[in-house]
Amino acid sequence: MEPWWLLAVVPVLALIGLYVLAQMRRRSYAVRFSNVELLAKIAAKGPGWRKHLPAAVLLAALLVMSTGMARPSVDIQEPTERATIVLALDVSLSMESQDVAPTRFEAMKEAATEFVSELPEQYNVGLVSFAKSANVVVSPTKDRSQVKSAIAGLSLDRATALGEAIFSSLQAIQLVPPDGISELAPARILLLSDGYRTAGRLVEDGAMAAEAANVPVSTIAFGTDEGTVEIDGQVTPVPVDRATLADVAELTGGKFYEAASVQELKEVYSDMGSSIGHRTIAVEIAQWFIGIALLLAFAAVVMSLLWTSRVP
């Protein structure tokens, strides 16, 4: 919008003021004629209040048109064709915990598969898995079946390399076809984990790399604090590291979620999917103002011709 053009409203407001002033002066002249009954008999019956309506509508048309000169616009959400989502899924042994039925691992795969199926077809989707290291399982692609097959084939391993998961996800984003554009594809990383970093580079280093690349990392703390797994005959508690995951999301401009059931996880994915891969653009709507102004002007002319047989 160009606010300086709103100054065009000032002359229209001045016209409105002049019209009101002229009507007040005309009324004062009528009052000077003392024999009001005689005036009513000899004067033809006029249109009454209707005589003011054409002028009022015409002034409204001018007001709307002058506002349109400021080129008003509205913001709309537009999908970006190169938008990329990288799913970074934790496949450490702690995901065997049964505090989320049937297990954290199976619940994660079910919800992730559904999420991929429901994403708009123009989005690229990549898959990273991480345990003691992180690997790009599927480079960003529009082939949903490839990603879903890879999710189904995931297997568990020891340790949790949270920092490496972010670095590998950033690497995957760089593999998006450029399509003649030099800039990095608009992307977001969705990282799901239940545990603390036990391997690889620091989580903070990964988060700072994502922030520098302008790639938000949304994180999901999945599971409950009562979760346990049996490793080498030992029952080991596997609580969720909410603090670290929340810090990553805050530093990178992403969102932090908690999910303690497969249904909650699906709801998180649904919320993420509604906000990924869109950009806000301003769409000019001046033509609507011009169209409305023309209709009002046309209506003013018609009313004037019908009631006063002249054009206002």
Side-chain angles (χ1 to χ4, degrees):
M1 187 169 180
E2 298 179 4
W4 288 108
W5 278 105
L6 287 175
L7 292 175
V9 173
V10 175
V12 181
L13 295 177
L15 280 175
I16 295 173
L18 287 173
Y19 181 81
V20 172
L21 181 62
Q23 296 305 313
M24 291 176 64
R25 292 183 64 183
R26 184 175 299 175
R27 183 173 298 177
S28 68
Y29 290 147
V31 171
R32 294 176 187 176
F33 195 93
S34 58
N35 195 337
V36 178
E37 293 182 0
L38 178 60
L39 178 63
K41 291 179 179 179
I42 64 176
K45 187 176 182 180
W49 62 269
R50 293 182 301 177
K51 68 180 180 180
H52 303 295
L53 194 56
V57 174
L58 183 59
L59 289 171
L62 292 174
L63 191 63
V64 172
M65 184 169 289
S66 59
T67 304
M69 291 174 66
R71 302 177 66 181
S73 61
V74 294
D75 291 338
I76 65 170
Q77 295 291 315
E78 179 184 71
T80 54
E81 290 295 327
R82 297 175 68 237
T84 299
I85 298 92
V86 175
L87 286 173
L89 303 182
D90 188 345
V91 294
S92 60
L93 291 179
S94 59
M95 294 294 286
E96 280 189 312
S97 176
Q98 297 179 5
D99 59 338
V100 178
T103 65
R104 293 178 181 177
F105 185 53
E106 292 302 324
M108 174 190 69
K109 291 199 295 182
E110 178 186 343
T113 299
E114 185 174 318
F115 172 69
V116 170
S117 298
E118 294 178 355
L119 278 175
E121 61 181 12
Q122 68 265 30
Y123 293 175
N124 294 299
V125 183
L127 179 64
V128 168
S129 66
F130 64 98
K132 63 184 176 184
S133 62
N135 302 289
V136 179
V137 182
V138 179
S139 297
T141 177
K142 290 183 173 64
D143 186 349
R144 301 292 188 262
S145 61
Q146 183 181 356
V147 180
K148 289 188 283 188
S149 295
I151 292 173
L154 292 175
S155 58
L156 299 175
D157 203 349
R158 291 177 178 271
T160 306
L162 273 173
E164 296 296 337
I166 300 174
F167 281 110
S168 292
S169 298
L170 292 173
Q171 178 187 348
I173 294 167
Q174 294 175 351
L175 299 176
V176 177
D179 293 337
I181 301 175
S182 58
E183 297 178 355
L184 193 67
R188 179 171 297 185
I189 298 170
L190 311 184
L191 187 150
L192 183 148
S193 182
D194 67 345
Y196 296 78
R197 183 194 70 88
T198 59
R201 283 173 282 185
L202 295 175
V203 183
E204 292 79 3
D205 292 342
M208 287 189 291
E211 181 190 24
N214 196 29
V215 177
V217 181
S218 290
T219 57
I220 307 172
F222 188 49
T224 69
D225 290 334
E226 290 72 39
T228 60
V229 292
E230 185 175 330
I231 302 176
D232 298 331
Q234 297 285 333
V235 176
T236 305
V238 284
V240 180
D241 186 4
R242 297 179 180 83
T244 297
L245 295 173
D247 288 344
V248 169
E250 181 178 2
L251 179 60
T252 62
K255 292 184 178 181
F256 168 68
Y257 302 88
E258 292 185 63
S261 69
V262 65
Q263 183 57 40
E264 287 181 0
L265 184 57
K266 288 180 179 180
E267 290 173 1
V268 168
Y269 276 133
S270 177
D271 180 71
M272 287 179 171
S274 65
S275 61
I276 293 172
H278 287 77
R279 61 178 178 176
T280 302
I281 62 172
V283 176
E284 188 175 314
I285 57 172
Q287 66 274 18
W288 291 102
F289 282 79
I290 295 172
I292 292 172
L294 289 174
L295 288 175
L296 288 172
F298 180 77
V301 171
V302 171
M303 286 187 290
S304 184
L305 288 173
L306 288 175
W307 296 336
T308 67
S309 298
R310 59 187 177 86
V311 177

